[in-house]
């Protein structure tokens, strides 16, 4: 079973700053299968990034994904107030999610 | 616009049963794999089960095998999850999710299930 580890667990930043979130897989993952989701309190998750680096429909270009193999990154340039949320990476082959990174306001 | 609306959640005693439903619209339902994903209170996301567009194949996480059954009615654009022998650890919000492009592309708002005496 592929295990996804996300770091840090919590990221405290101010609006306007850049957020860099890491997702590490226990074994190599096809980039095609790596996605990122955003979840705000009381809401369902929303797809942000698929195929490791492609933005889903309607996602602002301040969100970008990168990486391959076992190491993947979600970058949020210039944090907006609505970006403070929990972010999950996911590997679709085995439908595994990472534990999440909470981005909160410093 | 894709819409997924879950129903059927509620409070049930340990060992009891519950059937969740999901009404889908805005896309060709029979053309897509569909999943149920759950989230225990204060916890992360966990995939539960999925089913192929024509209903010919389905898969489950080990912890629910033999207890949960996923099904669909393409004539009614509906997805179901029959949950039997419920345990406290099944307590969660259950999301109906459309798959696409190796992702969980669209999510319903979820229906809460609480297993407690």
């Amino acid at each position: 079973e592929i295990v996804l580890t996300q770091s840090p667990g919590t990221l405290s930043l101010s609006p306007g700053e850049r957020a860099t979130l890491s997702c590490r897989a226990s074994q190599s993952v096809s980039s095609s299968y790596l996605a990122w989701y955003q979840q705000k309190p009381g809401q369902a998750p929303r797809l942000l990034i698929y195929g490791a680096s492609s933005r889903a429909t309607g996602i602002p270009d301040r969100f970008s994904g990168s990486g391959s193999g076992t190491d993947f990154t979600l970058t949020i340039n210039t944090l907006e107030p609505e970006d403070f949320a929990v972010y999950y990476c996911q590997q679709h082959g085995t439908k595994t999610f990472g534990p999440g990174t909470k981005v909160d306001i410093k | 616009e894709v819409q997924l609306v879950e129903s059927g959640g509620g409070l049930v005693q340990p060992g009891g049963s519950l059937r969740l439903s999901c009404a889908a619209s805005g896309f060709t339902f029979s053309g897509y794999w569909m999943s149920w994903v759950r989230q225990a209170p204060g916890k992360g996301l966990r995939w539960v089960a999925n089913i192929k567009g024509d209903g010919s194949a389905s898969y489950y996480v080990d912890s629910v095998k033999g207890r949960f059954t996923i099904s669909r009615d393409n004539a009614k654009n509906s997805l179901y999850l029959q949950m039997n022998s419920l345990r406290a650890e099944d307590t969660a919000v259950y999301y109906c999710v459309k798959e696409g492009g190796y992702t969980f592309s669209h999510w319903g708002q979820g229906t809460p299930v609480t297993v407690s005496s």
Side-chain angles (χ1 to χ4, degrees), chain A residues 44-78:
Chain A
R46 175 175 71 148
L47 176 66
L48 291 178
I49 300 288
Y50 64 94
S53 60
S54 298
R55 278 186 300 276
T57 302
I59 302 303
D61 60 8
R62 64 180 181 272
F63 291 91
S64 64
S66 63
S68 63
T70 60
D71 291 297
F72 298 88
T73 301
L74 175 69
T75 301
I76 313 171
N77 284 310
T78 316

Side-chain angles (χ1 to χ4, degrees), chain B residues 34-36 49-51 58 60 68-71 79-81:
Chain B
M34 295 293 295
S35 274
W36 289 97
N50 70 347
I51 186 168
S58 58
Y60 301 87
F68 289 12
T69 302
I70 189 172
S71 63
L79 178 72
Y80 306 101
L81 186 67

Side-chain angles (χ1 to χ4, degrees), chain A residues 33 37 39 44 50 88 90 92, chain B residues 39 95 99 102-104 108:
Chain A
Y33 284 7
Y37 302 83
Q39 187 178 32
Y50 64 94
Y88 296 95
Q90 182 246 338
H92 206 65
Chain B
Q39 185 170 36
Y95 293 102
E99 297 190 32
Y102 305 125
T103 70
F104 295 123

